[in-house]
Each structure stands twice: as structure tokens, then as C-alpha cells.
Amino acid sequence: MTARGATRTDDARGLREDAEFLFGDGQPIFGFRHLPLRQPARAGVVICSPVLAEFDRNYRREFALGRLLARDGFAVQRFHYRGTGNSGGDAADVSLASLEEDALEASRRLTEASGAPVSAVVGTRLGSFVAIRLAARLRVGALVLWEPLVDGAQQFGEAIRARLLHDLWDKAVTPRSREALTRELVDRGRVDVLGYTIHRKLYESLASRSLAQELGSPPPSVLIVAIGGRSQRRGDYDRIAEACAEQGSSVSVRVVAQDEPWWLGEREEDGSVGSGTRTDVVELTSGWIGTVLGREG
Amino acid sequence: MIEDQIRVFIQEELSTEGSGASLTDDSLLLEQHVIDSLGLFHLVGYLESEFGIEVDDAELIPENFGTVRDITRLVEIKREEGR
């Protein structure tokens, strides 16, 4: 694998940060790495982002987590899936399998650049599915899931619900039905949700997947963080935690507040999307990873 | 009273600047943008958790969300159906 990019050091925070394009097979992947400046990394952490509007909503949280973990001695890799963000590729080609391959490539690059093996993976929403698969392939010790999807269909159900509500508010007319929007996705290959395009390939690769199915053989330590929003998922998370515990994993389910839904965040004056800078979940996660990997190390 | 609860929730939690003080049960919430799209999202979540109902996609229509009176009627019908 080759990479081209730029590096900055932050003496005050004791960090080094690398931004680069990773050139493996196919289109380049944009990656951003946080590293401790003055000592070798104690372990590697890969962050698997959500997609579509949720990618924006989570961006600052992931950035903050990367910095905090690097300050605590971890090497942290963030990246944009191909077909999204700054990476190359076509959004229409994105599928659960392509997301997993991109995460694996980012993991390889983290170990190559830092010398640290990947010991923990963090995933949010759809990124949780990617994180679970990556964790299984790399046999990591710790897995963190931020408000994971209970099933793949949830991703599209909530997105379409957000569009229905927005259409109702924006036009004060009866919005198109969920069935009509889903039919458009299948027939035309894509559907617009508040300026984000959902493509058929991703939809079809996820629609029948469930979190319980994905978590077949969970890592030894798992943290599930429920982030605000509607409460009906808490019970699902508790049931998944029980299933993991039956297989010998140590699982914690924690709840942190968030005032806004994933799909309809208010924009700040500078154009960034609000609430992503809340630090509760970041500090909780950083502390948990430090404790779990410290214990295992 | 259900309409009082809904009106107070909109006034105190959701109304856009300056629109809440004069809110009545017949104020046009959508057409006059008394609440924004995020507020509408919160309102549906509030109705579901506060009144123990589930609002279907097909019920997200102006006839059900145009005014506080419309919303109250929807809640009453949903609660009746749930009995």
C-alpha cells in the first residue's frame, strides 16, 4: 500500500496527525490518523463512521475521540469509505462488503504507519455493522458501538421517516408514502433524502441484515452506547448484550443524552452541524477503551 | 386536557422565535411555520411517548398536524383505537 499526505504536530497536545490518501487496490481512501507524539502507540483503534446525514452528525465526535485517545497513547485511524466524503469511487457502488474492505485497508495502514496492532474498533450506526465485521476479522479485544442499528432496514426506515416529516413541514402537503419512496429506490436505483442520495446497492446489501446476526462471535469486551433519541432501542441493546454475555463477552450498555435526532440536526452559524461536539460519549468511550485495553495489556 | 398539554409543549419547547406567545388551538403550525422541521420531528416523538401512541407514516399529513386542534383529534383517535 502507498500513501500520500501531510503531517502536523501539536506539541501542546502531544499529538501528531496525518492526513493522507491510501492507494491500495482501486480508488483512493482518504484517511486521517491521530498518534501520540512522544512515545510509541500502545495499541491501535479504528473508527468506522456512519453514512449519509449521520456521517456529518458524528464527524466532530469522531475527531474528538481520535484526539483524546491519541493523548492517552493510542494510534487512531479515521477514514472515509470509498464513494463517500473525500475518498474516490462512486456512491452507487457502496455496499456493506465494500465498507468492510475499506475498513480493513484503513486498519492495515494504521498498523503499517504506527507499528501498533489494531486492538479496538469503534462504529456508529451503520458503521457498527462494519466495526463488528472488522473486529471479527482482526480478532480485537474491544468493540464499541455507538447507537448501533438494530437492523439494516432501520437505516432506510428512519431516513425515509425524516424525509416524510420534512416534506410535511416544508410544503404543508401530504408527503409521498414510504412505499412510493422505497419503490423509487428499487426502480430508479436511488432516492433522495434531504439532499443525501440512498443507492440501491447499499440498501440491498443491508436490508435483511440484523445486529444480532452480525454479532455472531463478539470480542471479549463490548461497549454499546445508546445516544439519546427515541427510547425503544434500549431494550434491543439489552437483549443483544445478554446474547453476547452468553458467549462469554463482557458487555456494557450505557446511555448518554443527545437532544437532536440523527437526521434533522440544526446547522450552526458556521455551517457545521450541531451537537456533534458533545463530549459525554467521547469521554465515556475513551475511558472505557483505556481501561479495557490496559487491563488486557 | 390534551390540547393544553400539546399547546404548552409547542409554546415552551418548539415554537420559532416570536411565534409561541400568540399560539391558539387554531394557529396554522405548518403554513405559518410556527414550528420548524426539527420541531415537527420532536413533536411526533413527544406525542408517541407522552400519550402512548404510534404515529404511522400515513398519518403524517397536514390534516393531522395543521393546528393544535388537529393534533389533539389525532391523539384522541389513536388512543381510542388502542383501547
Side-chain angles (χ1 to χ4, degrees):
Chain A
M1 188 188 311
T2 60
R4 268 180 263 158
T7 293
R8 71 181 284 270
T9 56
D10 184 336
D11 286 319
R13 291 190 176 88
L15 300 175
R16 192 185 102 198
E17 293 177 321
D18 301 336
E20 65 188 9
F21 284 99
L22 318 179
F23 295 91
D25 295 334
Q27 298 288 333
I29 297 173
F30 176 75
F32 197 99
R33 204 165 32 256
H34 308 265
L35 300 156
L37 182 60
R38 299 186 185 92
Q39 76 269 24
R42 54 195 275 210
V45 180
V46 175
I47 297 177
C48 301
S49 303
V51 297
L52 305 167
E54 296 165 358
F55 174 82
D56 294 341
R57 306 276 297 130
N58 213 43
Y59 202 91
R60 285 300 288 185
R61 272 196 211 107
E62 295 177 356
F63 182 81
L65 178 64
R67 282 199 159 174
L68 196 54
L69 284 169
R71 193 195 67 187
D72 291 342
F74 293 98
V76 181
Q77 184 73 51
R78 299 187 294 112
F79 65 99
H80 296 177
Y81 305 111
R82 277 178 281 208
T84 76
N86 297 336
S87 291
D90 189 332
D93 294 331
V94 174
S95 66
L96 184 55
S98 78
L99 300 177
E100 181 185 353
E101 286 308 309
D102 294 348
L104 189 62
E105 194 147 320
S107 304
R108 289 192 195 112
R109 178 60 185 147
L110 175 63
T111 299
E112 180 183 88
S114 70
V118 176
S119 300
V121 183
V122 179
T124 303
R125 303 283 291 162
L126 173 57
S128 295
F129 278 47
V130 183
I132 289 167
R133 290 174 166 219
L134 184 66
R137 287 178 77 158
L138 300 180
R139 298 181 182 278
V140 303
L143 171 67
V144 180
L145 306 176
W146 286 355
E147 190 68 20
L149 299 178
V150 172
D151 56 57
Q154 184 191 345
Q155 176 83 54
F156 306 100
E158 290 184 8
I160 287 176
R161 176 85 159 186
R163 173 168 163 174
L164 295 174
L165 281 163
H166 188 270
D167 286 355
L168 171 61
W169 170 80
D170 188 37
K171 299 165 188 156
V173 296
T174 301
R176 296 176 63 202
S177 69
R178 175 181 295 260
E179 291 71 25
L181 291 170
T182 306
R183 198 162 46 245
E184 181 181 331
L185 173 62
V186 173
D187 292 347
R188 292 187 57 216
R190 64 184 187 278
V191 68
D192 173 81
V193 176
L194 307 180
Y196 296 88
T197 303
I198 297 176
H199 289 273
R200 180 171 52 205
K201 190 168 182 179
L202 181 61
Y203 171 75
E204 289 179 343
S205 73
L206 276 168
S208 62
R209 311 295 309 178
S210 74
L211 185 66
Q213 211 175 31
E214 298 293 323
L215 265 171
S217 300
S221 298
V222 180
L223 172 65
I224 300 176
V225 185
I227 304 178
R230 297 164 72 180
S231 61
Q232 62 263 40
R233 299 297 169 208
R234 309 301 169 265
D236 293 321
Y237 294 161
D238 287 338
R239 280 188 289 279
I240 287 164
E242 285 170 18
C244 291
E246 285 173 9
Q247 296 189 63
S249 291
S250 169
V251 187
S252 301
V253 179
R254 302 285 296 275
V255 179
V256 298
Q258 175 181 278
D259 298 332
E260 296 169 1
W262 287 94
W263 269 88
L264 289 170
E266 288 179 325
R267 291 202 172 266
E268 308 288 356
E269 286 182 3
D270 65 359
S272 63
V273 180
S275 95
T277 49
R278 282 191 70 123
T279 57
D280 318 20
V281 66
V282 171
E283 288 169 0
L284 167 69
T285 301
S286 171
W288 184 86
I289 288 175
T291 301
V292 166
L293 296 187
R295 192 172 59 217
E296 290 185 351
Chain B
M1 297 287 280
I2 292 174
E3 56 261 50
D4 293 336
Q5 274 181 268
I6 294 170
R7 189 185 339 96
V8 168
F9 178 75
I10 293 172
Q11 280 174 325
E12 294 186 354
E13 305 290 338
L14 304 181
S15 58
T16 53
E17 196 171 343
S19 63
S22 58
L23 183 68
T24 70
D25 290 352
D26 294 309
S27 297
L28 300 173
L29 302 176
L30 300 173
E31 289 181 21
Q32 294 176 357
H33 284 191
V34 174
I35 56 179
D36 59 21
S37 60
L38 185 61
L40 186 57
F41 198 102
H42 283 304
L43 175 60
V44 173
Y46 169 77
L47 299 176
E48 291 184 332
S49 62
E50 184 67 23
F51 300 108
I53 62 172
E54 190 166 325
V55 180
D56 299 332
D57 291 344
E59 291 163 336
L60 298 173
I61 55 176
E63 290 77 6
N64 289 335
F65 286 88
T67 65
V68 170
R69 200 178 300 283
D70 294 335
I71 299 168
T72 303
R73 190 184 62 246
L74 172 68
V75 170
E76 287 173 342
I77 291 170
K78 297 294 290 184
R79 292 179 90 181
E80 191 62 35
E81 285 173 355
R83 287 199 178 115

